């Protein structure tokens, strides 16, 4: 059997969907999206892939408006109702200097998700919970974890 898991960088996906300028796209049916990739995952291993689990990594934007936090929380609840496992990171304040206007301001950056994704991938390899893992991210910071997993678990397919 070819058990497949998906590990989704939620904030990376959110910003990609935001770039489409289609408000409804942010309410993506993530389970359906992942299921559409199962046939491709099956072709890689030459056996039908079955969805084992979806892991979704995100952080609650408490620094944004309460309505944004409510929508984000509602979306996470929708994902949980579809048996998608939510992994929470956090936002950290950071002082930024603008060289054009010569002012300092407070920005927020998401922390912990990249490392958490790498750790989760390694954990799932160790637990032997899949044959195929599909990472949904545009972030290359995860590459060292992927290389390590491929080295330690050469029978696993990760893409």
């Amino acid at each position: 059997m070819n058990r497949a898991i998906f590990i989704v960088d939620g904030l990376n996906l959110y910003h990609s969907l935001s770039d489409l300028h289609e408000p409804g796209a942010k309410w993506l049916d993530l389970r359906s999206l992942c299921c559409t990739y199962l046939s491709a995952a099956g072709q890689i291993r030459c056996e039908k892939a079955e969805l084992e689990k979806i892991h979704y990594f995100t952080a609650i934007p408490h620094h944004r408006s309460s309505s944004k936090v409510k929508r984000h929380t509602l979306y996470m609840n929708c994902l949980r109702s579809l048996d998608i496992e939510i992994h929470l990171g956090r936002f950290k304040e950071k002082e930024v200097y603008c060289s054009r206007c010569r002012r300092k301001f407070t920005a927020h950056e998401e922390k912990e998700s990249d490392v958490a994704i790498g750790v989760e991938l390694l954990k799932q390899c160790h637990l032997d919970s899949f044959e195929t893992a599909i990472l949904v991210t545009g972030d290359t910071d995860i590459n060292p974890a992927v290389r390590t997993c491929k080295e330690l678990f050469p029978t696993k397919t990760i893409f």
Side-chain angles (χ1 to χ4, degrees):
M1 178 181 5
N2 181 7
R3 298 166 298 152
I5 65 168
F6 287 78
I7 298 178
V8 181
D9 182 338
L11 292 173
N12 192 279
L13 179 62
Y14 171 83
H15 289 293
S16 296
L17 293 171
S18 292
D19 290 347
L20 296 174
H21 303 291
E22 293 287 335
K26 294 176 187 172
W27 287 92
L28 176 69
D29 181 344
L30 189 57
R31 178 170 283 284
S32 291
L33 176 70
C34 292
C35 286
T36 63
Y37 285 97
L38 288 176
S39 63
Q43 291 173 359
I44 298 293
R45 292 185 66 96
C46 299
E47 59 182 319
K48 184 179 177 189
E50 294 181 14
L51 181 60
E52 187 71 20
K53 192 71 178 173
I54 301 170
H55 298 271
Y56 185 81
F57 291 78
T58 189
I60 299 172
H62 291 293
H63 58 284
R64 304 297 301 261
S65 69
S66 62
S67 62
K68 285 190 185 249
V69 171
K70 283 181 185 178
R71 285 193 304 272
H72 190 81
T73 302
L74 180 59
Y75 184 63
M76 288 189 307
N77 289 338
C78 290
L79 294 178
R80 284 186 187 102
S81 76
L82 297 171
D83 195 32
I84 294 172
E85 189 170 327
I86 306 293
H87 302 263
L88 288 175
R90 63 185 176 87
F91 281 96
K92 178 183 175 185
E93 283 188 1
K94 108 177 183 181
E95 198 170 273
V96 178
Y97 177 75
C98 177
S99 58
R100 278 204 295 195
C101 68
R102 302 197 188 284
R103 296 174 117 181
K104 289 182 182 178
F105 63 95
T106 301
H108 294 83
E109 65 179 346
E110 183 276 328
K111 302 302 283 181
E112 300 178 10
S113 287
D114 295 339
V115 172
I117 288 170
V119 169
E120 188 65 31
L121 178 62
L122 185 59
K123 175 183 169 185
Q124 295 304 317
C125 284
H126 176 73
L127 293 174
D128 193 29
S129 66
F130 71 91
E131 283 72 48
T132 302
I134 297 119
L135 302 175
V136 181
T137 184
D139 197 332
T140 59
D141 288 345
I142 195 70
N143 287 344
V146 171
R147 285 191 299 271
T148 300
C149 288
K150 286 182 174 185
E151 179 183 325
L152 297 176
F153 301 93
T155 63
K156 302 291 184 194
T157 301
I158 303 168
F159 64 108

